[in-house]
Amino acid sequence: EPEVTQTPSHQVTQMGQEVILRCVPISNHLYFYWYRQILGQKVEFLVSFYNNEISEKSEIFDDQFSVERPDGSNFTLKIRSTKLEDSAMYFCASSGDTSLSSTDTQYFGPGTRLTVL
Amino acid sequence: LAKTTQPISMDSYEGQEVNITCSHNNIATNDYITWYQQFPSQGPRFIIQGYKTKVTNEVASLFIPADRKSSTLSLPRVSLSDTAVYYCLVGFSGGYNKLIFGAGTRLAVHP
């Protein structure tokens, strides 16, 4: 069964450093998303991406965040200058096949645990 | 997006059937009901989706009454490995639409 993969599984960084979280969505999916989950809290939407541009972003997704699809398979989330409060699990998700059904399921990756020291 | 209400936690025992009910009084005509499961330190996993009446797959059943203001996820004969958080979401699950997660229901299955 196809699945979303994410690397690394755990990233430790110093405050102020840049990090790039990587995701390989399910091939032939067209919509990509990033969510985060602070320990013990709800899963929160960050950004959605379609046709090489951001479709929607939340108030969490400020100028420190950016997303990119550098090639035909990867989808990345960059945090330019990490803060302590960026420590969380970051989940990538993808949905949508060529039929573009409005009920296409979002499939989540296993997550990257980001720890900012 | 419709607001959902579900119990914070539930307890069950191995082999029992578990029913988790979700209220969504202001569900819109075009909204679907989707349930996800999440284990600790893992991404949410799609369980089942429905619009009305009953939907069944190899994992669960979803019961939706005619007024669609609530829905019930039914897990037959749970095992210890079903211990997880279960989320009820209302809206479009795919396309360009974001998912709005609530706190979910924390299900604990005991031996």
Side-chain angles (χ1 to χ4, degrees):
Chain A
E1 183 179 310
E3 57 182 19
V4 176
T5 60
Q6 292 184 241
T7 55
S9 56
H10 191 187
Q11 173 91 45
V12 181
T13 189
Q14 294 291 326
M15 189 170 56
Q17 295 296 304
E18 174 184 286
V19 295
I20 297 176
L21 309 183
R22 290 182 167 79
C23 168
V24 177
I26 294 173
S27 63
N28 84 353
H29 275 188
L30 302 175
Y31 299 94
F32 314 113
Y33 315 80
W34 283 100
Y35 294 80
R36 80 170 186 191
Q37 185 174 33
I38 296 171
L39 184 64
Q41 298 188 23
K42 297 185 290 188
V43 176
E44 300 174 289
F45 168 78
L46 292 179
V47 65
S48 58
F49 190 87
Y50 170 71
N51 200 26
N52 284 318
E53 60 183 28
I54 291 174
S55 303
E56 185 176 1
K57 58 184 181 179
S58 71
E59 61 276 7
I60 302 170
F61 195 89
D62 61 21
D63 292 343
Q64 294 298 316
F65 291 86
S66 63
V67 290
E68 192 179 30
R69 188 156 163 82
D71 52 45
S73 60
N74 291 283
F75 179 52
T76 62
L77 173 69
K78 180 192 293 186
I79 309 175
R80 289 192 186 80
S81 178
T82 51
K83 303 188 285 282
L84 295 176
E85 54 265 37
D86 293 329
S87 294
M89 283 287 286
Y90 287 82
F91 297 109
C92 172
S94 70
S95 71
D97 58 19
T98 53
S99 67
L100 293 178
S101 166
S102 62
T103 62
D104 285 334
T105 302
Q106 288 188 32
Y107 293 92
F108 285 74
T112 292
R113 179 176 298 283
L114 177 64
T115 301
V116 182
L117 303 176
Chain B
L1 291 168
K3 178 179 165 55
T4 60
T5 302
Q6 52 184 125
I8 295 174
S9 65
M10 293 182 70
D11 289 275
S12 184
Y13 293 91
E14 284 189 290
Q16 289 188 334
E17 177 184 81
V18 171
N19 296 307
I20 307 175
T21 297
C22 178
S23 297
H24 27 80
N25 290 320
N26 58 341
I27 188 170
T29 303
N30 295 330
D31 286 342
Y32 281 75
I33 300 154
T34 310
W35 286 80
Y36 279 81
Q37 173 193 58
Q38 187 181 29
F39 299 113
S41 298
Q42 293 188 28
R45 184 175 80 102
F46 171 83
I47 301 175
I48 197 166
Q49 182 183 74
Y51 184 80
K52 61 180 179 180
T53 63
K54 176 184 174 183
V55 180
T56 297
N57 62 22
E58 64 277 6
V59 176
S61 294
L62 179 60
F63 298 91
I64 305 168
D67 66 6
R68 303 200 328 123
K69 293 183 183 300
S70 66
S71 59
T72 299
L73 174 73
S74 180
L75 305 172
R77 297 179 297 282
V78 294
S79 64
L80 296 176
S81 62
D82 292 315
T83 294
V85 179
Y86 292 82
Y87 299 98
C88 165
L89 295 94
V90 172
F92 281 169
S93 74
Y96 51 84
N97 293 289
K98 64 188 177 218
L99 294 178
I100 305 295
F101 286 84
T105 296
R106 190 172 298 276
L107 173 66
V109 180
H110 306 281

Short mmCIF file of all heavy atoms in Angstrom, two decimals, chain B residues 15-77:
data_model
loop_
_atom_site.label_atom_id
_atom_site.label_comp_id
_atom_site.label_asym_id
_atom_site.label_seq_id
_atom_site.Cartn_x
_atom_site.Cartn_y
_atom_site.Cartn_z
N GLY B 15 -12.19 -7.67 23.22
CA GLY B 15 -13.29 -8.48 22.74
C GLY B 15 -14.63 -7.77 22.71
O GLY B 15 -15.58 -8.27 22.09
N GLN B 16 -14.71 -6.61 23.36
CA GLN B 16 -15.98 -5.89 23.38
C GLN B 16 -16.13 -5.01 22.14
O GLN B 16 -15.16 -4.68 21.47
CB GLN B 16 -16.07 -5.02 24.64
CG GLN B 16 -16.24 -5.80 25.92
CD GLN B 16 -16.53 -4.88 27.11
OE1 GLN B 16 -16.16 -3.72 27.13
NE2 GLN B 16 -17.23 -5.42 28.11
N GLU B 17 -17.36 -4.66 21.86
CA GLU B 17 -17.63 -3.69 20.81
C GLU B 17 -17.62 -2.30 21.44
O GLU B 17 -18.15 -2.09 22.53
CB GLU B 17 -19.01 -3.96 20.19
CG GLU B 17 -19.40 -2.93 19.13
CD GLU B 17 -20.80 -3.17 18.59
OE1 GLU B 17 -21.77 -2.75 19.27
OE2 GLU B 17 -20.92 -3.77 17.51
N VAL B 18 -16.97 -1.37 20.74
CA VAL B 18 -16.89 0.00 21.25
C VAL B 18 -17.62 0.93 20.28
O VAL B 18 -17.39 0.87 19.06
CB VAL B 18 -15.43 0.44 21.41
CG1 VAL B 18 -15.35 1.93 21.71
CG2 VAL B 18 -14.75 -0.36 22.52
N ASN B 19 -18.45 1.77 20.83
CA ASN B 19 -19.16 2.76 20.03
C ASN B 19 -18.80 4.15 20.51
O ASN B 19 -19.00 4.47 21.68
CB ASN B 19 -20.67 2.55 20.12
CG ASN B 19 -21.10 1.23 19.54
OD1 ASN B 19 -20.77 0.91 18.40
ND2 ASN B 19 -21.84 0.45 20.32
N ILE B 20 -18.28 4.97 19.63
CA ILE B 20 -17.92 6.35 19.97
C ILE B 20 -18.83 7.27 19.17
O ILE B 20 -18.84 7.23 17.94
CB ILE B 20 -16.45 6.65 19.63
CG1 ILE B 20 -15.52 5.63 20.28
CG2 ILE B 20 -16.10 8.06 20.11
CD1 ILE B 20 -14.05 5.79 19.89
N THR B 21 -19.58 8.09 19.89
CA THR B 21 -20.53 8.97 19.23
C THR B 21 -19.98 10.39 19.14
O THR B 21 -19.37 10.89 20.08
CB THR B 21 -21.88 8.97 19.97
OG1 THR B 21 -22.43 7.66 19.90
CG2 THR B 21 -22.86 9.95 19.32
N CYS B 22 -20.23 11.01 18.04
CA CYS B 22 -19.78 12.38 17.77
C CYS B 22 -21.00 13.22 17.41
O CYS B 22 -21.82 12.80 16.60
CB CYS B 22 -18.78 12.36 16.62
SG CYS B 22 -18.15 13.97 16.10
N SER B 23 -21.11 14.37 18.01
CA SER B 23 -22.20 15.30 17.69
C SER B 23 -21.69 16.39 16.76
O SER B 23 -20.60 16.93 16.98
CB SER B 23 -22.75 15.93 18.97
OG SER B 23 -23.30 14.97 19.81
N HIS B 24 -22.47 16.70 15.74
CA HIS B 24 -22.11 17.76 14.79
C HIS B 24 -23.41 18.43 14.34
O HIS B 24 -23.87 18.19 13.22
CB HIS B 24 -21.28 17.24 13.62
CG HIS B 24 -21.52 15.79 13.28
ND1 HIS B 24 -22.58 15.35 12.55
CD2 HIS B 24 -20.79 14.69 13.58
CE1 HIS B 24 -22.52 14.05 12.40
NE2 HIS B 24 -21.45 13.60 13.02
N ASN B 25 -23.97 19.23 15.23
CA ASN B 25 -25.30 19.81 15.01
C ASN B 25 -25.39 20.72 13.78
O ASN B 25 -26.43 20.83 13.17
CB ASN B 25 -25.75 20.56 16.25
CG ASN B 25 -26.07 19.63 17.40
OD1 ASN B 25 -26.66 18.58 17.20
ND2 ASN B 25 -25.65 20.00 18.59
N ASN B 26 -24.29 21.40 13.45
CA ASN B 26 -24.37 22.35 12.32
C ASN B 26 -23.65 21.83 11.08
O ASN B 26 -23.05 22.58 10.34
CB ASN B 26 -23.81 23.71 12.73
CG ASN B 26 -22.38 23.64 13.21
OD1 ASN B 26 -21.90 22.57 13.58
ND2 ASN B 26 -21.69 24.76 13.22
N ILE B 27 -23.77 20.53 10.87
CA ILE B 27 -23.16 19.93 9.67
C ILE B 27 -23.83 20.51 8.43
O ILE B 27 -25.04 20.71 8.38
CB ILE B 27 -23.28 18.39 9.72
CG1 ILE B 27 -22.50 17.75 8.58
CG2 ILE B 27 -24.74 17.95 9.73
CD1 ILE B 27 -22.37 16.23 8.72
N ALA B 28 -23.04 20.80 7.43
CA ALA B 28 -23.56 21.38 6.19
C ALA B 28 -23.94 20.27 5.21
O ALA B 28 -23.49 19.13 5.31
CB ALA B 28 -22.51 22.30 5.57
N THR B 29 -24.76 20.65 4.24
CA THR B 29 -25.28 19.69 3.28
C THR B 29 -24.17 18.92 2.56
O THR B 29 -24.29 17.73 2.31
CB THR B 29 -26.15 20.40 2.24
OG1 THR B 29 -27.20 21.09 2.91
CG2 THR B 29 -26.74 19.41 1.25
N ASN B 30 -23.09 19.60 2.24
CA ASN B 30 -22.01 18.97 1.47
C ASN B 30 -20.94 18.30 2.32
O ASN B 30 -19.98 17.75 1.79
CB ASN B 30 -21.33 20.01 0.58
CG ASN B 30 -22.27 20.56 -0.47
OD1 ASN B 30 -23.17 19.87 -0.93
ND2 ASN B 30 -22.06 21.81 -0.84
N ASP B 31 -21.09 18.37 3.64
CA ASP B 31 -20.07 17.84 4.52
C ASP B 31 -20.11 16.32 4.58
O ASP B 31 -21.17 15.71 4.61
CB ASP B 31 -20.23 18.38 5.94
CG ASP B 31 -19.78 19.82 6.07
OD1 ASP B 31 -19.05 20.31 5.19
OD2 ASP B 31 -20.16 20.46 7.08
N TYR B 32 -18.93 15.73 4.66
CA TYR B 32 -18.77 14.31 4.94
C TYR B 32 -18.27 14.15 6.37
O TYR B 32 -17.76 15.09 6.97
CB TYR B 32 -17.78 13.68 3.97
CG TYR B 32 -18.37 13.38 2.62
CD1 TYR B 32 -18.62 14.41 1.72
CD2 TYR B 32 -18.69 12.09 2.24
CE1 TYR B 32 -19.18 14.16 0.48
CE2 TYR B 32 -19.25 11.82 1.00
CZ TYR B 32 -19.50 12.86 0.12
OH TYR B 32 -20.07 12.60 -1.09
N ILE B 33 -18.43 12.96 6.92
CA ILE B 33 -17.97 12.66 8.26
C ILE B 33 -16.83 11.65 8.15
O ILE B 33 -16.98 10.61 7.50
CB ILE B 33 -19.11 12.07 9.11
CG1 ILE B 33 -20.26 13.08 9.20
CG2 ILE B 33 -18.61 11.70 10.51
CD1 ILE B 33 -21.60 12.45 9.46
N THR B 34 -15.71 12.00 8.74
CA THR B 34 -14.51 11.18 8.62
C THR B 34 -13.94 10.92 10.00
O THR B 34 -13.92 11.80 10.85
CB THR B 34 -13.45 11.91 7.76
OG1 THR B 34 -14.05 12.35 6.54
CG2 THR B 34 -12.29 10.98 7.45
N TRP B 35 -13.48 9.71 10.22
CA TRP B 35 -12.85 9.34 11.48
C TRP B 35 -11.40 8.95 11.23
O TRP B 35 -11.09 8.22 10.28
CB TRP B 35 -13.59 8.18 12.14
CG TRP B 35 -14.90 8.57 12.75
CD1 TRP B 35 -16.08 8.76 12.10
CD2 TRP B 35 -15.15 8.82 14.13
NE1 TRP B 35 -17.06 9.12 13.00
CE2 TRP B 35 -16.52 9.16 14.26
CE3 TRP B 35 -14.36 8.79 15.28
CZ2 TRP B 35 -17.11 9.46 15.49
CZ3 TRP B 35 -14.94 9.09 16.50
CH2 TRP B 35 -16.30 9.43 16.60
N TYR B 36 -10.54 9.46 12.11
CA TYR B 36 -9.13 9.12 12.08
C TYR B 36 -8.75 8.50 13.44
O TYR B 36 -9.37 8.77 14.46
CB TYR B 36 -8.25 10.36 11.85
CG TYR B 36 -8.13 10.80 10.42
CD1 TYR B 36 -9.12 11.55 9.80
CD2 TYR B 36 -7.01 10.45 9.67
CE1 TYR B 36 -8.99 11.96 8.49
CE2 TYR B 36 -6.87 10.85 8.35
CZ TYR B 36 -7.87 11.61 7.77
OH TYR B 36 -7.74 12.01 6.46
N GLN B 37 -7.68 7.71 13.40
CA GLN B 37 -7.12 7.08 14.59
C GLN B 37 -5.68 7.55 14.73
O GLN B 37 -4.98 7.70 13.72
CB GLN B 37 -7.16 5.55 14.41
CG GLN B 37 -6.47 4.74 15.48
CD GLN B 37 -6.30 3.29 15.00
OE1 GLN B 37 -5.69 3.02 13.98
NE2 GLN B 37 -6.86 2.36 15.77
N GLN B 38 -5.24 7.81 15.95
CA GLN B 38 -3.86 8.21 16.14
C GLN B 38 -3.25 7.49 17.35
O GLN B 38 -3.78 7.57 18.46
CB GLN B 38 -3.72 9.72 16.33
CG GLN B 38 -2.26 10.18 16.38
CD GLN B 38 -2.08 11.67 16.58
OE1 GLN B 38 -2.91 12.33 17.20
NE2 GLN B 38 -0.99 12.21 16.07
N PHE B 39 -2.14 6.80 17.08
CA PHE B 39 -1.34 6.20 18.15
C PHE B 39 -0.29 7.21 18.59
O PHE B 39 0.07 8.12 17.84
CB PHE B 39 -0.66 4.92 17.66
CG PHE B 39 -1.62 3.86 17.22
CD1 PHE B 39 -1.69 3.47 15.89
CD2 PHE B 39 -2.47 3.24 18.13
CE1 PHE B 39 -2.59 2.50 15.47
CE2 PHE B 39 -3.36 2.26 17.72
CZ PHE B 39 -3.42 1.90 16.38
N PRO B 40 0.21 7.07 19.81
CA PRO B 40 1.23 8.02 20.30
C PRO B 40 2.42 8.12 19.35
O PRO B 40 2.91 7.11 18.84
CB PRO B 40 1.64 7.41 21.65
CG PRO B 40 0.46 6.63 22.08
CD PRO B 40 -0.15 6.08 20.83
N SER B 41 2.83 9.33 19.08
CA SER B 41 4.00 9.64 18.24
C SER B 41 3.87 9.11 16.82
O SER B 41 4.87 8.82 16.17
CB SER B 41 5.28 9.07 18.88
OG SER B 41 5.51 9.67 20.13
N GLN B 42 2.64 8.96 16.35
CA GLN B 42 2.42 8.57 14.96
C GLN B 42 1.44 9.54 14.31
O GLN B 42 0.71 10.27 14.98
CB GLN B 42 1.87 7.15 14.87
CG GLN B 42 2.85 6.08 15.32
CD GLN B 42 2.33 4.68 15.04
OE1 GLN B 42 1.56 4.46 14.11
NE2 GLN B 42 2.76 3.73 15.84
N GLY B 43 1.41 9.53 12.98
CA GLY B 43 0.47 10.37 12.27
C GLY B 43 -0.94 9.81 12.32
O GLY B 43 -1.14 8.60 12.47
N PRO B 44 -1.95 10.68 12.21
CA PRO B 44 -3.34 10.19 12.16
C PRO B 44 -3.53 9.23 10.99
O PRO B 44 -2.96 9.41 9.91
CB PRO B 44 -4.14 11.47 11.96
CG PRO B 44 -3.28 12.57 12.49
CD PRO B 44 -1.88 12.14 12.17
N ARG B 45 -4.35 8.23 11.24
CA ARG B 45 -4.59 7.20 10.21
C ARG B 45 -6.08 7.19 9.89
O ARG B 45 -6.92 7.09 10.80
CB ARG B 45 -4.14 5.84 10.73
CG ARG B 45 -4.26 4.71 9.71
CD ARG B 45 -3.67 3.43 10.26
NE ARG B 45 -4.60 2.75 11.17
CZ ARG B 45 -5.35 1.70 10.85
NH1 ARG B 45 -5.31 1.23 9.64
NH2 ARG B 45 -6.14 1.13 11.75
N PHE B 46 -6.42 7.28 8.63
CA PHE B 46 -7.80 7.26 8.19
C PHE B 46 -8.45 5.94 8.56
O PHE B 46 -7.89 4.86 8.35
CB PHE B 46 -7.86 7.46 6.67
CG PHE B 46 -9.21 7.24 6.07
CD1 PHE B 46 -10.15 8.24 6.09
CD2 PHE B 46 -9.53 6.03 5.46
CE1 PHE B 46 -11.40 8.05 5.52
CE2 PHE B 46 -10.77 5.82 4.89
CZ PHE B 46 -11.71 6.83 4.93
N ILE B 47 -9.66 6.01 9.13
CA ILE B 47 -10.41 4.80 9.45
C ILE B 47 -11.57 4.61 8.50
O ILE B 47 -11.71 3.57 7.86
CB ILE B 47 -10.97 4.84 10.90
CG1 ILE B 47 -9.86 5.01 11.93
CG2 ILE B 47 -11.76 3.57 11.19
CD1 ILE B 47 -10.39 5.16 13.35
N ILE B 48 -12.45 5.61 8.43
CA ILE B 48 -13.68 5.44 7.69
C ILE B 48 -14.30 6.80 7.40
O ILE B 48 -14.04 7.77 8.12
CB ILE B 48 -14.67 4.53 8.48
CG1 ILE B 48 -15.77 3.98 7.57
CG2 ILE B 48 -15.23 5.28 9.69
CD1 ILE B 48 -16.55 2.84 8.24
N GLN B 49 -15.07 6.86 6.35
CA GLN B 49 -15.75 8.09 5.96
C GLN B 49 -17.14 7.76 5.46
O GLN B 49 -17.35 6.73 4.81
CB GLN B 49 -14.97 8.80 4.86
CG GLN B 49 -15.56 10.13 4.40
CD GLN B 49 -14.76 10.73 3.26
OE1 GLN B 49 -14.81 10.28 2.13
NE2 GLN B 49 -13.99 11.76 3.58
N GLY B 50 -18.11 8.65 5.74
CA GLY B 50 -19.46 8.43 5.26
C GLY B 50 -20.24 9.72 5.10
O GLY B 50 -19.83 10.77 5.63
N TYR B 51 -21.34 9.63 4.41
CA TYR B 51 -22.22 10.79 4.24
C TYR B 51 -23.56 10.58 4.95
O TYR B 51 -24.06 11.47 5.63
CB TYR B 51 -22.46 11.07 2.75
CG TYR B 51 -23.28 12.30 2.49
CD1 TYR B 51 -22.70 13.56 2.54
CD2 TYR B 51 -24.64 12.21 2.23
CE1 TYR B 51 -23.45 14.71 2.32
CE2 TYR B 51 -25.40 13.35 2.01
CZ TYR B 51 -24.79 14.60 2.06
OH TYR B 51 -25.55 15.73 1.85
N LYS B 52 -24.14 9.39 4.76
CA LYS B 52 -25.40 9.09 5.44
C LYS B 52 -25.54 7.58 5.59
O LYS B 52 -24.74 6.81 5.03
CB LYS B 52 -26.58 9.65 4.67
CG LYS B 52 -26.75 9.11 3.28
CD LYS B 52 -27.96 9.74 2.61
CE LYS B 52 -28.11 9.20 1.19
NZ LYS B 52 -29.29 9.81 0.51
N THR B 53 -26.48 7.17 6.35
CA THR B 53 -26.82 5.77 6.69
C THR B 53 -25.62 5.04 7.29
O THR B 53 -25.07 5.49 8.27
CB THR B 53 -27.39 5.03 5.47
OG1 THR B 53 -26.42 4.94 4.44
CG2 THR B 53 -28.62 5.76 4.97
N LYS B 54 -25.26 3.92 6.70
CA LYS B 54 -24.21 3.10 7.31
C LYS B 54 -23.12 2.79 6.31
O LYS B 54 -23.38 2.51 5.15
CB LYS B 54 -24.83 1.80 7.84
CG LYS B 54 -23.84 0.82 8.42
CD LYS B 54 -24.53 -0.48 8.82
CE LYS B 54 -23.50 -1.52 9.28
NZ LYS B 54 -24.13 -2.82 9.62
N VAL B 55 -21.90 2.87 6.80
CA VAL B 55 -20.74 2.50 6.00
C VAL B 55 -19.94 1.48 6.79
O VAL B 55 -19.77 1.64 8.01
CB VAL B 55 -19.86 3.73 5.69
CG1 VAL B 55 -18.65 3.32 4.85
CG2 VAL B 55 -20.66 4.81 4.98
N THR B 56 -19.47 0.46 6.14
CA THR B 56 -18.68 -0.57 6.82
C THR B 56 -17.45 -0.89 5.98
O THR B 56 -17.53 -1.00 4.76
CB THR B 56 -19.51 -1.84 7.03
OG1 THR B 56 -20.62 -1.54 7.89
CG2 THR B 56 -18.68 -2.94 7.69
N ASN B 57 -16.32 -1.02 6.66
CA ASN B 57 -15.13 -1.53 6.00
C ASN B 57 -14.51 -2.61 6.87
O ASN B 57 -15.14 -3.07 7.84
CB ASN B 57 -14.14 -0.40 5.65
CG ASN B 57 -13.62 0.34 6.86
OD1 ASN B 57 -13.65 -0.18 7.98
ND2 ASN B 57 -13.17 1.57 6.65
N GLU B 58 -13.30 -3.00 6.56
CA GLU B 58 -12.69 -4.12 7.28
C GLU B 58 -12.30 -3.77 8.71
O GLU B 58 -11.98 -4.64 9.50
CB GLU B 58 -11.48 -4.64 6.50
CG GLU B 58 -10.34 -3.65 6.36
CD GLU B 58 -10.52 -2.66 5.21
OE1 GLU B 58 -11.60 -2.66 4.58
OE2 GLU B 58 -9.58 -1.89 4.97
N VAL B 59 -12.33 -2.49 9.02
CA VAL B 59 -11.86 -2.04 10.33
C VAL B 59 -13.01 -1.63 11.24
O VAL B 59 -12.99 -1.89 12.45
CB VAL B 59 -10.89 -0.85 10.17
CG1 VAL B 59 -10.47 -0.32 11.52
CG2 VAL B 59 -9.68 -1.26 9.36
N ALA B 60 -14.01 -0.93 10.68
CA ALA B 60 -15.03 -0.31 11.51
C ALA B 60 -16.33 -0.12 10.73
O ALA B 60 -16.39 -0.34 9.52
CB ALA B 60 -14.53 1.05 12.02
N SER B 61 -17.34 0.31 11.46
CA SER B 61 -18.61 0.72 10.86
C SER B 61 -18.92 2.14 11.31
O SER B 61 -18.53 2.55 12.41
CB SER B 61 -19.75 -0.21 11.27
OG SER B 61 -19.56 -1.50 10.76
N LEU B 62 -19.61 2.84 10.45
CA LEU B 62 -20.00 4.22 10.76
C LEU B 62 -21.50 4.33 10.54
O LEU B 62 -21.99 4.03 9.45
CB LEU B 62 -19.24 5.19 9.84
CG LEU B 62 -19.55 6.68 10.00
CD1 LEU B 62 -19.24 7.15 11.41
CD2 LEU B 62 -18.75 7.49 8.98
N PHE B 63 -22.18 4.73 11.61
CA PHE B 63 -23.62 4.87 11.57
C PHE B 63 -23.98 6.36 11.60
O PHE B 63 -23.54 7.09 12.49
CB PHE B 63 -24.27 4.17 12.76
CG PHE B 63 -24.01 2.68 12.80
CD1 PHE B 63 -22.91 2.18 13.47
CD2 PHE B 63 -24.86 1.81 12.14
CE1 PHE B 63 -22.67 0.81 13.50
CE2 PHE B 63 -24.62 0.44 12.16
CZ PHE B 63 -23.53 -0.06 12.84
N ILE B 64 -24.79 6.77 10.62
CA ILE B 64 -25.17 8.18 10.51
C ILE B 64 -26.69 8.24 10.40
O ILE B 64 -27.26 7.73 9.43
CB ILE B 64 -24.52 8.83 9.29
CG1 ILE B 64 -23.00 8.64 9.32
CG2 ILE B 64 -24.86 10.33 9.23
CD1 ILE B 64 -22.29 9.00 8.03
N PRO B 65 -27.37 8.85 11.37
CA PRO B 65 -28.84 8.93 11.29
C PRO B 65 -29.27 9.90 10.19
O PRO B 65 -28.46 10.63 9.62
CB PRO B 65 -29.22 9.47 12.68
CG PRO B 65 -28.02 10.22 13.16
CD PRO B 65 -26.83 9.50 12.57
N ALA B 66 -30.56 9.89 9.92
CA ALA B 66 -31.09 10.66 8.80
C ALA B 66 -30.82 12.16 8.93
O ALA B 66 -30.56 12.84 7.94
CB ALA B 66 -32.59 10.41 8.67
N ASP B 67 -30.85 12.70 10.15
CA ASP B 67 -30.63 14.14 10.30
C ASP B 67 -29.14 14.51 10.26
O ASP B 67 -28.81 15.71 10.20
CB ASP B 67 -31.28 14.65 11.58
CG ASP B 67 -30.64 14.10 12.85
OD1 ASP B 67 -29.60 13.39 12.75
OD2 ASP B 67 -31.15 14.37 13.94
N ARG B 68 -28.28 13.52 10.29
CA ARG B 68 -26.81 13.69 10.17
C ARG B 68 -26.22 14.60 11.25
O ARG B 68 -25.10 15.08 11.11
CB ARG B 68 -26.44 14.24 8.80
CG ARG B 68 -26.94 13.38 7.66
CD ARG B 68 -26.26 13.56 6.32
NE ARG B 68 -25.79 14.88 6.03
CZ ARG B 68 -24.53 15.17 5.74
NH1 ARG B 68 -23.61 14.22 5.75
NH2 ARG B 68 -24.17 16.41 5.46
N LYS B 69 -26.93 14.83 12.32
CA LYS B 69 -26.41 15.70 13.38
C LYS B 69 -25.49 14.96 14.34
O LYS B 69 -24.94 15.55 15.27
CB LYS B 69 -27.56 16.36 14.14
CG LYS B 69 -28.35 17.35 13.27
CD LYS B 69 -29.42 18.03 14.08
CE LYS B 69 -30.27 18.95 13.24
NZ LYS B 69 -29.49 20.03 12.61
N SER B 70 -25.36 13.68 14.14
CA SER B 70 -24.42 12.91 14.94
C SER B 70 -23.95 11.72 14.11
O SER B 70 -24.51 11.45 13.03
CB SER B 70 -25.07 12.41 16.23
OG SER B 70 -26.08 11.47 15.93
N SER B 71 -22.95 11.05 14.58
CA SER B 71 -22.48 9.83 13.93
C SER B 71 -21.84 8.95 15.00
O SER B 71 -21.38 9.46 16.04
CB SER B 71 -21.48 10.12 12.81
OG SER B 71 -20.35 10.81 13.31
N THR B 72 -21.83 7.65 14.75
CA THR B 72 -21.25 6.72 15.71
C THR B 72 -20.25 5.82 15.01
O THR B 72 -20.59 5.14 14.03
CB THR B 72 -22.34 5.87 16.38
OG1 THR B 72 -23.24 6.72 17.08
CG2 THR B 72 -21.73 4.87 17.36
N LEU B 73 -19.04 5.83 15.51
CA LEU B 73 -18.00 4.92 15.04
C LEU B 73 -18.11 3.65 15.87
O LEU B 73 -18.10 3.70 17.10
CB LEU B 73 -16.62 5.54 15.22
CG LEU B 73 -15.43 4.64 14.91
CD1 LEU B 73 -15.31 4.42 13.40
CD2 LEU B 73 -14.13 5.20 15.47
N SER B 74 -18.20 2.52 15.21
CA SER B 74 -18.30 1.25 15.91
C SER B 74 -17.09 0.39 15.59
O SER B 74 -16.79 0.12 14.42
CB SER B 74 -19.59 0.53 15.51
OG SER B 74 -19.71 -0.70 16.19
N LEU B 75 -16.38 -0.03 16.64
CA LEU B 75 -15.21 -0.89 16.50
C LEU B 75 -15.59 -2.26 17.07
O LEU B 75 -15.83 -2.40 18.27
CB LEU B 75 -14.02 -0.33 17.27
CG LEU B 75 -13.61 1.10 16.92
CD1 LEU B 75 -12.54 1.60 17.89
CD2 LEU B 75 -13.10 1.17 15.50
N PRO B 76 -15.67 -3.28 16.22
CA PRO B 76 -16.10 -4.59 16.71
C PRO B 76 -14.94 -5.32 17.40
O PRO B 76 -13.81 -5.29 16.92
CB PRO B 76 -16.51 -5.31 15.42
CG PRO B 76 -15.65 -4.69 14.36
CD PRO B 76 -15.44 -3.26 14.77
N ARG B 77 -15.22 -5.93 18.52
CA ARG B 77 -14.25 -6.80 19.19
C ARG B 77 -12.86 -6.17 19.28
O ARG B 77 -11.90 -6.62 18.64
CB ARG B 77 -14.16 -8.14 18.47
CG ARG B 77 -15.46 -8.94 18.49
CD ARG B 77 -15.31 -10.25 17.75
NE ARG B 77 -15.01 -10.04 16.34
CZ ARG B 77 -15.88 -9.70 15.42
NH1 ARG B 77 -17.15 -9.50 15.76
NH2 ARG B 77 -15.52 -9.54 14.16
#
